[in-house]
Amino acid sequence: MTTRTLTASLVTVLALAAASACSGSSGSGGTPTVTLMVGGIDKQIYLPYQLAESLGFYTKYGVKVRLSTEQDGGVGAEEAMASGQVDMAGAWYNHTIEFQAKGKAVEDIVQLSGAPGEREMCTAKSGVKSGADFKGKTLGVTDLGSGTDTLTQFIAAQKGVKAGEFHRLAVGAGSTAVAALQNGKADCVMTTQPTVAAIQKKGVGTSAVDLATIDGAKAALGGAFPAASVLARTDWVTSHKDAAQRVVDALVATMHWINTHSAADIADKLPQSFVQNQLVTKADYIKALDEDKGQFLPDGIMPAGGPKTALATEKMVGTVTSPVDLGTTFTNEFAINANKKEGFTTTTNPAGADG
C-alpha cells in the first residue's frame, strides 16, 4: 500500500465500476470478470494495471478487469482484497508476508517491479543525506503501517537509528506530501513519481535515498525489493485459476510492452489526468518515468532474493516475528505460463521456494 490519491471524478467512476462488477463471474461469452483495487492507480509505480487496460490487453486475453483505486482515509487495496471486497490487489509483495504472520493465506501471482520506486525527498534545511541522519527528524510516509512506513524504519535501522528516535507522519502523496515539506511539517517524505518531480520542480526537496530503481534498491536495501504486484487470497486463486492466468497473461504482455517502448510512448497511452495535472506537466512526467523506468521487470517473474530481502525488512522493523514460509507467498507459475504462451524471452532469474 502506498498513495491513496486520485482525481475525485476518476475515483468515483472507478469505484462505481468496481461496485457494479459481479466478482469472479462470467460475462457474455463466458468471459470472467475480476475486480482489482490498486494502491494509487495514478502513480508511476502502479502504471501497468491501467496501461494493460489502455492497450486492450485484458480484452485480448479474455478477461474483464474492473479497476478501482484506494482513497484517502479509505480501506487499503490489500485489506480490501483480504476481506473479499475485491478479488485482487495491485499492491506490494511484502503484504503477503505480513498476512501470513497473521494467519491469512495471500499470494503474489505476478511481480511487476523489483524496486519500490520510492525516493526519500528531504529539504535542504533538514541536513538529511542518509538514514543515519533520521534521528530527531519528522519523516513523512503515505500512511502509518504502509510500505513506505516499513521502508523508512528499515533504512533508519540499517544505520542504527531506532524507530523511537524519529517521528513518522502520515502525509499521503501528491499535493499533501509536497505541502508537508513546504510548510515545514516534515523534514523528509518518502514518495514516488510524479510527486518526486513536483517536489524537485518547486525546489522544496531533493532525493536523499534512491529506491526508485533496482540498482538503487540493491544499494540501499541489500537486494532487489519486489514491490508492485498482483495479490490475491490463495483460496480465490485455487478456485479461479483460469481467471488468474488471464490477468497475468495481460500484465506480462504489458511488462514486455513497457520494456520495448519509451517513456513518451507509455505516457501517451495513459489517461491525461495521470500524466498532466496540477502537480506536473506531461514533459515532467515523461522525464521522471525515463529516470525511474528501471524499476519494472520485463517478464512478471519474482526475482531471486527478492522475497528474502522483503522478509529481512519486515523482521528488522519488528513487523513480523513468527516463522514465514516464503514459498507460499508467491508463485511464478502463471508468469512462466504467460511468457511461454507468447514466446517471450525471460531475463529475470526466478526465485526458488526459499525466496
Side-chain angles (χ1 to χ4, degrees), residues 81-227:
M81 172 274 304
S83 64
Q85 296 177 51
V86 294
D87 303 317
M88 297 176 167
W92 285 9
Y93 159 73
N94 67 300
H95 293 301
T96 66
I97 296 173
E98 295 169 352
F99 279 125
Q100 186 175 128
K102 297 174 183 176
K104 297 181 180 180
V106 170
E107 61 188 85
D108 176 341
I109 64 171
V110 60
Q111 190 59 45
L112 309 183
S113 67
E118 307 278 348
R119 292 182 185 273
E120 191 73 52
M121 302 298 293
C122 302
T123 65
K125 184 179 178 181
S126 72
V128 173
K129 301 298 182 184
S130 73
D133 305 314
F134 284 2
K135 188 178 293 187
K137 301 297 190 299
T138 296
L139 306 175
V141 298
T142 52
D143 250 328
L144 297 181
S146 67
T148 56
D149 189 10
T150 298
L151 285 176
T152 297
Q153 294 179 66
F154 183 70
I155 291 169
Q158 283 186 313
K159 299 296 184 179
V161 180
K162 298 178 181 178
E165 295 180 308
F166 57 90
H167 177 59
R168 288 140 46 225
L169 178 69
V171 299
S175 59
T176 54
V178 176
L181 293 177
Q182 284 181 313
N183 301 335
K185 291 184 178 180
D187 297 292
C188 304
V189 298
M190 183 174 285
T191 191
T192 65
Q193 301 288 7
T195 307
V196 166
I199 290 171
Q200 293 172 326
K201 191 171 185 178
K202 291 178 180 293
V204 296
T206 57
S207 177
V209 181
D210 171 19
L211 301 176
T213 62
I214 295 175
D215 286 343
K218 288 179 178 178
L221 304 175
F225 186 94

Side-chain angles (χ1 to χ4, degrees), residues 43-59:
K43 297 183 69 175
Q44 281 193 6
I45 62 170
Y46 288 143
L47 69 83
Y49 311 100
Q50 176 59 47
L51 183 60
E53 174 68 27
S54 299
L55 293 171
F57 285 169
Y58 295 131
T59 299

